[in-house]
Amino acid sequence: MHHPSISQLFDNNRIWAAQMERDRPGFFTNLMAQQKPRYMWIGCSDSRVPANQITGLEPGEVFVHRNVANVVVPTDLNCLSTVQYAVDQLKVEHLMVVGHYGCGGVLAALEDTRVGLADNWIRHVKDVRDRHRDLLARMAPESRHDALCELNAIEQVVNIAQTTVLQDAWARGQQVTLHGWCYGLKDGLINNLHMSVSSNEGFESLYRAAIAGVAEGRC
């Protein structure tokens, strides 16, 4: 496989910028004038999961936060600040937590593999694994990795729903919906985990149904 040098990245950038300006005059001027994305994407840092390309969205249409295994921890000020800015300032209407099948961080949590400093971060995924230990134990071993990727995305939606940011937004009547999705590297398709939450109302039943959906799909 040919790996481009750093200088080639600059060359590629200039070619891309010139092509964009040629095809769509004023594109960059318009981008500078405003940022009004309707969507926020919280995904994995995995280089194979680029938010814009997967969803067919333009630059400026999706606000993105990524970390190892798409984890949302209420004490993580980096993630929480990004969510707060997206919800309070940008007024995004949809916030998606997007896991992906084959996630290395999730696999490390599932198999208790040591990877280094990131073990402390992956501990949050192990908490998801432990919470659903019985469900995972009932599955065929080859299904557990995909299932934990799905369960992790669902649980991170729960974590966002419980933040002060979302609780305050919903309390003032702001329309913002959370979604749990999982992306397939093998086919490029997004799987809707049916964990879509737009208020505290009916939250528990939605959560139980989403977890049951994972169990039915994998057992």
Side-chain angles (χ1 to χ4, degrees):
M1 182 187 292
H2 172 69
H3 295 288
S5 67
I6 290 295
S7 63
Q8 282 179 291
L9 301 188
F10 281 98
D11 292 341
N12 293 348
N13 165 251
R14 279 146 180 76
I15 292 166
W16 171 78
Q19 185 71 42
M20 288 298 286
E21 195 57 40
R22 211 165 32 245
D23 293 348
R24 298 164 67 177
F27 176 79
F28 295 109
T29 309
N30 292 335
L31 266 190
M32 282 177 62
Q34 62 177 9
Q35 177 182 224
K36 292 185 178 176
R38 292 180 56 209
Y39 309 100
M40 180 178 179
W41 172 291
I42 296 180
C44 184
S45 296
D46 192 302
S47 59
R48 301 165 295 177
V49 191
N52 286 74
Q53 280 112 310
I54 289 169
T55 51
L57 293 173
E58 296 274 357
E61 289 187 318
V62 58
F63 200 61
V64 178
H65 179 85
R66 292 165 71 171
N67 61 46
V68 173
N70 44 270
V71 171
V72 179
V73 187
T75 50
D76 175 11
L77 292 184
N78 184 351
C79 182
L80 206 61
S81 297
T82 312
V83 171
Q84 185 269 324
Y85 188 81
V87 172
D88 292 358
Q89 300 299 319
L90 299 177
K91 301 289 194 290
V92 296
E93 296 169 28
H94 299 276
L95 196 164
M96 300 87 77
V97 178
V98 189
H100 69 97
Y101 301 112
C103 181
V106 171
L107 184 62
L110 182 66
E111 299 185 344
D112 274 317
T113 308
R114 289 295 302 272
V115 297
L117 181 65
D119 294 329
N120 301 285
W121 182 253
I122 290 166
R123 176 68 249 176
H124 299 295
V125 186
K126 290 185 180 181
D127 290 341
V128 176
R129 175 202 67 187
D130 294 346
R131 187 172 302 126
H132 299 286
R133 187 181 296 280
D134 293 344
L135 189 160
L136 290 166
R138 291 195 299 272
M139 292 181 182
E142 62 271 18
S143 296
R144 289 173 190 155
H145 186 193
D146 283 354
L148 187 53
C149 292
E150 294 175 350
L151 292 168
N152 184 51
I154 291 167
E155 291 291 350
Q156 303 316 318
V157 171
V158 174
N159 288 347
I160 297 175
Q162 293 173 342
T163 62
T164 55
V165 176
L166 266 296
Q167 288 297 314
D168 289 351
W170 287 338
R172 62 179 176 257
Q174 187 172 334
Q175 298 294 306
V176 53
T177 305
L178 311 179
H179 306 271
W181 296 350
C182 210
Y183 172 73
L185 294 170
K186 68 179 185 296
D187 56 16
L189 300 179
I190 296 169
N191 182 20
N192 184 358
L193 303 176
H194 302 290
M195 183 64 185
S196 292
V197 185
S198 52
S199 70
N200 291 315
E201 194 175 331
F203 185 88
E204 277 298 320
S205 58
L206 274 168
Y207 170 74
R208 282 195 299 272
I211 298 298
V214 175
E216 287 162 17
R218 300 288 163 199
C219 287

